[in-house]
Structure formats: structure tokens, C-alpha cells
Amino acid sequence: KVQYLNDRLIKMKRNIVFAFSLAWCTLGIAAVQPGENLVVNGSLDADQVEFPPFWNLNSRSKNHVIWHPSGGPGGLPYLTINGEKEPDIRVQQFGLDLVSNGTYRISMKVRTRNFRSGSHTGIMLVNSGLWRSTEGVMSLPANTDGDWKVVSKEFKCFSAPEGYMVLLRILQQKGQL
């Protein structure tokens, strides 16, 4: 009986090691490839809804952000933001799954005219919850001469045990975005 129990323990250990190896391989396969977009629906596609799925507006922003189904760069959908009467406009996506200390790039295309805003305006990665850490494009160009301009920043990701969100935030807007 001692030998039988010992054989079962050895088999159980092998199964545990196999299960861990399988999980490790799955995580390795699921790793992000360079250029892969982690934001869900980053192209702002929407079908039969008023606003692109996976993107959220805070209640004060709803009357100041307009989704257009086409006419953006390359004919893609885009947003216009009129925040002159609302000091803090936010469009956000929660639940991003990132690796702390990993290298990431955040970017978007903008078209502006006579645009000014407060600090911390742009597209950024924020830790969900208390917003203690932020990385990204924190200012937008004043004039893009009618063209769509890419704004981008590469960074090492901070630790966020409570998770990550991507945030388009416009503070104290003047002009067109």
C-alpha cells in the first residue's frame, strides 16, 4: 500500500507540472505582438448604437462628445469634442490588461483649430481607481492645419493592481478638437 500511494503522488506531481507548463505556454502564446492594439474598438466602430461599444462617457460629457460614423482619417469614424461649456470631458475604456514595466505606445489622430486646454489633456493610460499613475500624450497641438496629425508616446508601464483604463480627457477646452 505504501508503494501504491507513492506511485499516485508521483503521478499527481507530474500532472501538476504538466498543468503549469500548459498554462505557461498559453500565456506565452497570448503575449502581445508589436503593433497589436490592446484597446478594444480603437477604430470607434459602431453599428446601430449611438456611441462606439466598449467606450464610456461620464455623465457630464454626453452632450459634448459627438460620434461620426465616417469622415475621419481614411474615412474611419471619429469623435468631435466641444468642451467649452464643460471643464472636464472624459471618454474612457476600462479593463485593459497590461504588464507592469512592459513597453507600450499610446497614440491617436487629432485635427485641431485654435485649440487650447488645461494640463493633462490628451490620450493616456491611467490606473483604475484612484488615478495615482498616468502615462501618455498629455497635451495636444493647437493647430493641425486641417490635417489629421498623429500624437503618440512610448513608455514603460507602471504597476496598477486595480487595473488599467485608457482615457481621452479634455480639460478647459478652447477652440476646436
Side-chain angles (χ1 to χ4, degrees):
K1 288 187 178 184
V2 172
Q3 183 61 36
Y4 175 73
L5 183 59
N6 204 13
D7 289 344
R8 286 190 58 111
L9 284 173
I10 290 171
K11 285 182 184 179
M12 196 166 65
K13 285 180 185 176
R14 283 186 195 149
N15 288 340
I16 290 171
V17 169
F18 175 74
F20 178 78
S21 299
L22 184 61
W24 182 258
C25 290
T26 303
L27 291 173
I29 291 168
V32 178
Q33 299 301 314
E36 184 178 347
N37 194 352
L38 295 175
V39 173
V40 180
N41 193 17
S43 60
L44 302 174
D45 291 323
D47 188 25
Q48 300 178 1
V49 293
E50 292 181 24
F51 202 74
F54 306 103
W55 290 96
N56 300 291
L57 290 168
N58 66 344
S59 61
R60 296 182 316 197
S61 300
K62 289 185 188 229
N63 297 324
H64 305 284
V65 179
I66 301 168
W67 173 77
H68 303 273
S70 63
L76 290 172
Y78 71 102
L79 302 175
T80 54
I81 299 173
N82 181 4
E84 291 197 20
K85 294 188 188 299
E86 176 56 49
D88 186 2
I89 303 293
R90 293 184 227 157
V91 180
Q92 52 213 8
Q93 185 175 120
F94 302 97
L96 291 178
D97 195 18
L98 305 177
V99 176
S100 64
N101 208 28
T103 302
Y104 294 92
R105 176 180 298 126
I106 193 164
S107 61
M108 71 176 184
K109 293 181 181 180
V110 297
R111 185 170 57 184
T112 61
R113 187 169 62 203
N114 299 323
F115 179 78
R116 289 182 319 190
S117 64
S119 62
H120 282 78
T121 290
I123 186 83
M124 56 202 80
L125 181 72
V126 180
N127 63 318
S128 296
L130 299 176
W131 292 23
R132 288 191 175 138
S133 301
T134 306
E135 271 293 350
V137 177
M138 305 294 189
S139 65
L140 300 176
N143 289 296
T144 62
D145 299 321
D147 295 326
W148 292 96
K149 180 180 178 182
V150 174
V151 293
S152 179
K153 182 175 181 188
E154 192 169 292
F155 59 91
K156 289 276 188 193
C157 189
F158 50 85
S159 176
E162 61 281 347
Y164 300 92
M165 73 173 167
V166 67
L167 173 67
L168 171 60
R169 187 175 193 196
I170 311 299
L171 294 171
Q172 302 161 344
Q173 176 183 348
K174 301 288 183 212
Q176 294 180 359
L177 174 64

